[in-house]
Amino acid sequence: MRRTLLRDPIFIIGFVIFASLLLLSIGNTVFRDGQVDQFLNRYSDEGRLIGIPPLEPSKDQWLGTDRAGNDLFQMMIEGFKWTVGICATVALGRMALGLLVGIPLAFRGARLNRIFKMVLDGFLILPISLLAMMMLFPSFFFADSTMVPPLLDRVTLQLTVFVLLGFPAVTLYLITEVRQLLKQEFMIVAETLGGSVWHRTKRHLWPHLVPTLVIVFMQQFVQTLMLLIHLSLFGVFFGGTVFLFEGVRPTLFEWSSMFGFYFTQFTAMTWMTNHMFLVPALGLSMLVFLSNLLTSRLERAFRLRRQKSVVTDDTTSQAEAAAATLADPFTLVHANASFQQMNQKKADDIKY
């Protein structure tokens, strides 16, 4: 599979773009302490005032500035690691909890699984965005910027809520996948030979689960990103929302929070005001596109590897069948030789 991905130019281009943005974002934090430049006014070479925030894109500010004078390009670079880190952490947390609960339940009887499914099915009907807004709204709106709790406490609470909201769906999916694998012949043989649950999981189940887990991770990554976008449109920004005289304001330079914050300032009048909303909107669209692109290429690589393994098994069985028909049991038989023997027999049948 690794060789297939390394030979896939689409996957390499998407991965390089994704990794480059992440390295730039981390580098801005390491070398500039996460600083975002602020430009209050724009002057000509003669010293005349020619613009005030929000400034249009120019050679100095590639994406322009917002109303506070913050450089939007630097804000997007700084916020990328937050957006990716949040989605990746939530996806990993959901998968970890799903595996811890799903694998032991999959080895249990069908009755216990039916009861567990009946309990969790009710949570799948409710919209996650609405539940998250109801749970986070009372704790993440601050009327005074001086009364905002520490960042670690806010992030931990919000990540915990996101993980728990996606836990039922991921767990039910993993239980279904594991139970399907347990019905395969190699798992039945391992159980018949006396293999323990830990041995069967480690040696037989886990290698077949890895492709599924990679795809689930990418799917949960995109789902978490969409959840952040939905919450930001309701004014529930990641890390908290501060009430100001002119409206609400996020506490972090994070893409979905920027999208919701600038959405309230969106108008159909001029590029001057629209670009503040369009920049994070286009950035989020690009991130969703890259995530779906990488997911599709990973699925393709796993599918090709599965097809290759099936062909190898068929070739081996044909070689064994050819060896069984030989008069001399010590004659070496290879898969290619067996194919040549079969093709020669077909040619003789057509000839005669």
Side-chain angles (χ1 to χ4, degrees):
M1 189 199 75
R2 194 179 310 167
R3 186 178 302 175
T4 303
L5 292 177
L6 291 177
R7 293 178 178 177
D8 189 349
I10 299 177
F11 177 83
I12 293 176
I13 292 174
F15 181 80
V16 168
I17 295 175
F18 194 90
S20 300
L21 289 173
L22 187 59
L23 290 176
L24 283 174
S25 183
I26 296 175
N28 186 68
T29 302
V30 173
F31 298 107
R32 303 184 71 237
D33 197 23
Q35 179 183 356
V36 174
D37 295 335
Q38 196 172 25
F39 303 90
L40 298 180
N41 297 310
R42 180 180 294 173
Y43 296 90
S44 64
D45 296 336
E46 293 80 14
R48 293 185 296 104
L49 179 65
I50 59 175
I52 59 174
L55 299 175
E56 297 180 5
S58 64
K59 63 179 181 179
D60 296 323
Q61 295 88 38
W62 294 351
L63 299 179
T65 68
D66 62 2
R67 296 184 184 276
N70 297 312
D71 191 303
L72 286 177
F73 176 76
Q74 296 182 20
M75 291 177 68
M76 294 293 290
I77 293 296
E78 173 64 21
F80 184 76
K81 65 176 179 296
W82 281 104
T83 304
V84 172
I86 293 165
C87 297
T89 302
V90 172
L92 288 174
R94 291 176 178 177
M95 289 171 53
L97 281 179
L99 288 173
L100 288 175
V101 177
I103 291 181
L105 283 176
F107 280 91
R108 300 293 180 179
R111 181 179 179 183
L112 181 60
N113 281 277
R114 284 197 300 269
I115 296 175
F116 188 77
K117 186 176 184 299
M118 290 174 58
V119 173
L120 293 185
D121 272 345
F123 293 95
L124 303 180
I125 302 174
L126 301 174
I128 293 181
S129 301
L130 181 60
L131 287 176
M133 187 180 67
M134 294 172 60
M135 297 173 67
L136 297 175
F137 191 88
S139 302
F140 283 83
F141 275 80
F142 311 107
D144 188 356
S145 59
T146 61
M147 302 297 291
V148 178
L151 178 62
L152 181 61
D153 297 341
R154 289 177 280 144
V155 170
T156 303
L157 177 59
Q158 203 156 0
L159 290 178
T160 303
V161 172
F162 289 168
V163 169
L164 293 178
L165 287 176
F167 165 74
V170 175
T171 303
L172 289 177
Y173 179 77
L174 292 178
I175 289 176
T176 304
E177 290 294 321
V178 172
R179 289 187 66 84
Q180 288 180 355
L181 288 174
L182 292 178
K183 297 177 182 178
Q184 300 297 320
E185 185 177 355
F186 66 93
M187 293 299 298
I188 297 175
V189 172
E191 183 181 5
T192 304
L193 293 176
S196 63
V197 174
W198 170 250
H199 175 80
R200 282 180 284 162
T201 302
K202 181 181 178 181
R203 294 293 183 181
H204 304 287
L205 193 61
W206 182 255
H208 290 81
L209 267 181
V210 169
T212 301
L213 294 178
V214 173
I215 303 302
V216 170
F217 172 81
M218 297 302 298
Q219 292 173 347
Q220 293 301 312
F221 183 94
V222 176
Q223 186 188 67
T224 306
L225 181 60
M226 300 306 297
L227 175 61
L228 289 172
I229 295 173
H230 294 163
L231 291 177
S232 69
L233 292 176
F234 291 103
V236 182
F237 305 131
F238 186 84
T241 303
V242 179
F243 280 104
L244 299 175
F245 177 76
E246 60 273 14
V248 295
R249 178 178 65 85
T251 59
L252 291 175
F253 290 125
E254 189 267 324
W255 282 19
S256 63
S257 299
M258 293 170 58
F259 174 79
F261 176 58
Y262 294 134
F263 178 76
T264 60
Q265 307 176 27
F266 177 76
T267 64
M269 298 298 293
T270 63
W271 163 261
M272 243 182 180
T273 54
N274 286 347
H275 80 280
M276 294 187 299
F277 165 74
L278 294 176
V279 167
L282 293 175
L284 289 170
S285 301
M286 180 203 68
L287 182 57
V288 173
F289 173 76
L290 279 179
S291 301
N292 290 330
L293 179 66
L294 294 177
T295 303
S296 65
R297 306 315 289 182
L298 286 170
E299 289 178 341
R300 173 181 174 272
F302 287 132
R303 185 170 60 253
L304 291 177
R305 189 185 71 167
R306 195 178 301 114
Q307 292 174 356
K308 183 178 180 181
S309 63
V310 170
V311 171
T312 303
D313 294 341
D314 293 342
T315 303
T316 304
S317 62
Q318 290 171 358
E320 292 174 350
T325 61
L326 292 177
D328 185 3
F330 297 101
T331 303
L332 295 178
V333 177
H334 300 283
N336 293 334
S338 66
F339 279 125
Q340 293 175 2
Q341 184 180 2
M342 293 172 60
N343 292 332
Q344 184 64 34
K345 184 178 180 181
K346 292 180 179 179
D348 294 339
D349 293 341
I350 295 175
K351 182 177 180 180
Y352 296 106

